[in-house]
Amino acid sequence: MIEDSKLIPENTTRLIMTQLLLALDFFHKKKIIHRDIKLDNVLINQIQDQIHYEIRIADFGLAAFTLKDEYITHRCGSPGYVGPEVLKGRPYNYKADIFGAGSVFFNLLSRRYLFSGTTAEEVLRRNARCQIDHIRKYLETVSTLGQDLLFWLLNSDPEKRPTAAEALQHDWFKNDKNIINDLLNVNNMICSQ
């Protein structure tokens, strides 16, 4: 269980995830894989009495620059947030960051860690197996669309995981589609220069 047991409302979680996925979209278009997306590295600054949130991603110590569509093999990351393909020693790409974002999403929705264990090794073993059906019981208050997006981000097969831009097109974000599309276009313009 995460220290503060108070649940974050789903609308607030949506604001946080929108910004996190927009940042990942930008990094990935710049050919940067963060490789350590986890709750501790997502800094949330509350502005104006919980109405606005400003998200920053921290700690680029494990980040890697890649060539277009390049896969890398160096194993790194934090237990419970690492894409299972990384732990299995398979070549991976930016989709490993998407798994980390999914794990953060679960943290925000449930105030729990995706995988638990008494040692880091036990958490890593569970992370590598990526059996996540047990989390459904912690999502009873989460909308069907929120659950659908979560399981898409956490797909054990990176080929079936969305890109950050694809995730932002999910119906869970439908009320903010126009602004999200505008911001994705800004990312495209900046990254194409």
Side-chain angles (χ1 to χ4, degrees):
M1 197 112 135
I2 297 173
E3 286 178 26
D4 180 3
S5 63
K6 185 178 175 186
L7 289 176
I8 298 172
E10 197 166 336
N11 284 338
T12 301
T13 300
R14 186 176 292 108
L15 293 172
I16 295 167
M17 288 305 297
T18 298
Q19 291 183 58
L20 175 58
L21 289 167
L22 282 166
L24 288 176
D25 176 66
F26 179 82
F27 299 149
H28 296 161
K29 284 185 168 106
K30 285 292 194 181
K31 309 299 181 216
I32 299 168
I33 305 173
H34 187 281
R35 302 195 306 176
D36 200 19
I37 297 296
K38 61 182 179 178
L39 194 59
D40 291 348
N41 288 340
V42 178
L43 309 179
I44 303 170
N45 184 26
Q46 178 182 333
I47 304 169
Q48 298 178 0
D49 301 323
Q50 299 181 354
I51 297 170
H52 296 84
Y53 292 87
E54 187 176 81
I55 306 306
R56 303 237 192 265
I57 297 177
D59 191 358
F60 283 77
L62 297 177
F65 288 97
T66 64
L67 300 173
K68 185 177 184 179
D69 299 325
E70 181 184 14
Y71 283 77
I72 53 182
T73 56
H74 179 76
R75 289 189 205 182
C76 62
S78 296
Y81 296 91
V82 183
E85 65 275 16
V86 177
L87 296 172
K88 292 175 182 175
R90 296 183 184 145
Y92 63 92
N93 63 9
Y94 57 90
K95 296 273 186 100
D97 284 349
I98 300 300
F99 187 89
S103 190
V104 168
F105 189 24
F106 179 71
N107 296 156
L108 295 171
L109 291 171
S110 69
R111 305 304 291 167
R112 296 183 171 279
Y113 293 108
L114 186 59
F115 303 105
S116 60
T118 55
T119 64
E121 291 77 23
E122 188 178 351
V123 174
L124 285 169
R125 276 193 306 276
R126 289 179 177 167
N127 192 164
R129 282 194 307 265
C130 198
Q131 295 171 344
I132 58 172
D133 284 338
H134 72 282
I135 68 173
R136 291 186 190 279
K137 64 185 171 190
Y138 303 115
L139 302 172
E140 293 172 354
T141 62
V142 178
S143 69
T144 303
L145 288 174
Q147 290 182 44
D148 184 62
L149 175 61
L150 176 66
F151 283 99
W152 193 24
L153 296 172
L154 293 174
N155 196 305
S156 62
D157 181 351
E159 296 300 316
K160 294 180 181 174
R161 253 179 251 147
T163 63
E166 289 169 343
L168 286 163
Q169 296 304 310
H170 190 278
D171 280 346
W172 191 65
F173 297 105
K174 70 181 170 195
N175 292 338
D176 300 314
K177 282 262 198 240
N178 290 337
I179 189 68
I180 287 171
N181 287 333
D182 288 347
L183 292 169
L184 286 170
N185 285 333
V186 169
N187 278 357
N188 288 334
M189 286 188 325
I190 292 171
C191 294
S192 65
Q193 297 177 358

